[in-house]
Amino acid sequence: MADAELRRPEPATVAEPPTEARLAEGGLRLEVDGAVATVTLARPERRNAMTFATWRTLAAVGRSLPSEVRVVVLRGDGPSFSAGIDLSMFSGGEEGFPSGEDGAAGDRFIAELQEGYTWLRRPEIVTVAAVHGHAIGGGFQLALACDIRIASEDAKFCMKEPALGLVPDLTGTKPLVEIVGVNRALELCLTARTVDAAEAARLGLVERVVPVGGLDEAVAALTVELLAVNAGAAVATKRLLLEAPQNTLAEQCAAERREQLGRLRELSAALRG
Ligand code: ACO
């Protein structure tokens, strides 16, 4: 991922938020309340199954996020977080899949859908997936795209794509491997088995597990904790931690020095008034 793709758009280039009609077409709701944006997957009658419109609209939400927003929560209406891709799309539901024959066009097509997920890793925001019920395929990958996963005890995760003849291509393979390692990731993907909340916690796939019905309260409490941290320190720390897996120790030490000097400059400027 190029660094530029992980940066918040400059204020002048922040797009207009998607209209209510566009959000509805994507099966989404968006609420922005000061420093907190909540994106709700809102097709409970389809277990929040997602379409191309969902992913494109998610990308539009990312492009339009106001600069005051520091925490983004992703949650689902109804009994499930998300049942993944809307299976009706395999029978020509919304629009055709690229055939794979025209490699460049297919590559652009999938890259555009992936944009719905990549913005969640931007250092300027902390993203929280609030998972209950099923998180399958693209739904599991959406949770994996977030920084922190908080799950209720009824949460179930499944990487279903290989069972359907596909690969997980909505940015999920990298965080999955980083969290559980290649061997466990292979086992989970190639069996497409379901991982319950307790196992997900053991594997590090979720950071917190809460009783069924307690998710909203737990997310609200987590949000308060996250917002209590100095905003600049939060951005710099996320940037630093995101770099760590790719960096050598020497590179990471240099990154720590660079970020700390930035913090010290900002803190002393604030002290001087
Ligand atoms: N796409 C389209 N419709 C869906 C999907 C989906 N992915 N998942 C559920 N629905 C619909 C069902 O067809 C059903 O519709 P109906 O009321 O018209 O019959 C409704 O949502 C409720 O679904 P149920 O199966 O009745 O709900 P239940 O709670 O028993 O099961 C579950 C939920 C486990 C999520 C089940 O629906 C399921 O397995 N869905 C398919 C999951 C899947 O294979 N997703 C693709 C993953 S791969 C990827 O994302 C790339």
Side-chain angles (χ1 to χ4, degrees):
M1 172 78 35
D3 282 355
E5 290 172 58
L6 279 182
R7 232 170 271 144
R8 187 195 285 280
E10 293 301 322
T13 63
V14 170
E16 285 296 307
T19 61
E20 288 302 320
R22 181 160 184 205
L23 287 163
E25 190 202 349
L28 297 170
R29 266 200 328 276
L30 171 65
E31 282 138 359
V32 179
D33 181 8
V36 183
T38 304
V39 181
T40 300
L41 304 168
R43 291 178 79 209
E45 71 289 354
R46 285 278 166 272
R47 301 297 182 262
N48 300 326
M50 299 183 285
T51 63
F52 298 142
T54 310
W55 296 319
R56 290 179 184 135
T57 307
L58 271 175
V61 170
R63 284 193 291 270
S64 69
L65 216 54
S67 58
E68 307 77 66
V69 170
R70 291 183 53 197
V71 175
V72 177
V73 176
L74 276 110
R75 60 179 298 285
D77 275 349
S80 292
F81 178 71
S82 172
I85 193 168
D86 190 317
L87 294 170
S88 73
M89 300 212 303
F90 291 115
S91 43
E94 189 187 349
E95 67 180 80
F97 280 87
S99 69
E101 297 300 323
D102 181 345
D107 189 78
R108 277 195 304 279
F109 184 91
I110 297 174
E112 191 194 10
L113 305 182
Q114 289 170 332
E115 273 178 45
Y117 287 49
T118 47
W119 65 273
L120 295 162
R121 294 171 170 85
R122 268 188 225 146
E124 291 80 7
I125 50 176
V126 181
T127 50
V128 178
V131 181
H132 71 292
H134 289 91
I136 303 178
F140 186 8
Q141 294 188 71
L142 186 60
L144 284 168
C146 292
D147 298 314
I148 300 174
R149 284 159 290 282
I150 179 162
S152 58
E153 283 167 349
D154 65 344
K156 295 179 186 66
F157 299 85
C158 171
M159 201 64 91
K160 188 80 175 280
E161 286 82 347
L164 300 175
L166 300 168
V167 299
D169 68 345
L170 290 167
T171 78
T173 56
K174 185 170 170 63
L176 182 65
V177 168
E178 283 172 353
I179 295 167
V180 301
V182 171
N183 307 83
R184 177 64 69 189
L186 255 175
E187 185 257 337
L188 294 179
C189 291
L190 298 192
T191 61
R193 74 177 173 87
T194 297
V195 173
D196 66 18
E199 185 184 4
R202 277 200 306 281
L203 292 176
L205 285 168
V206 302
E207 278 63 45
R208 295 184 185 182
V209 178
V210 301
V212 173
L215 201 48
D216 289 346
E217 197 186 328
V219 168
L222 174 63
T223 302
V224 170
E225 288 178 62
L226 292 170
L227 292 178
V229 170
N230 174 287
V235 175
T237 304
K238 178 168 171 184
R239 198 163 43 218
L240 191 57
L241 295 177
L242 283 179
E243 274 184 58
Q246 291 80 250
N247 277 350
T248 62
L249 179 59
E251 288 165 341
Q252 190 64 12
C253 287
E256 289 178 0
R257 295 193 297 273
R258 190 178 60 242
E259 293 291 4
Q260 195 68 301
L261 291 173
R263 296 307 314 134
L264 293 170
R265 273 194 302 277
E266 197 177 305
L267 291 174
S268 48
L271 276 178
R272 284 195 304 273

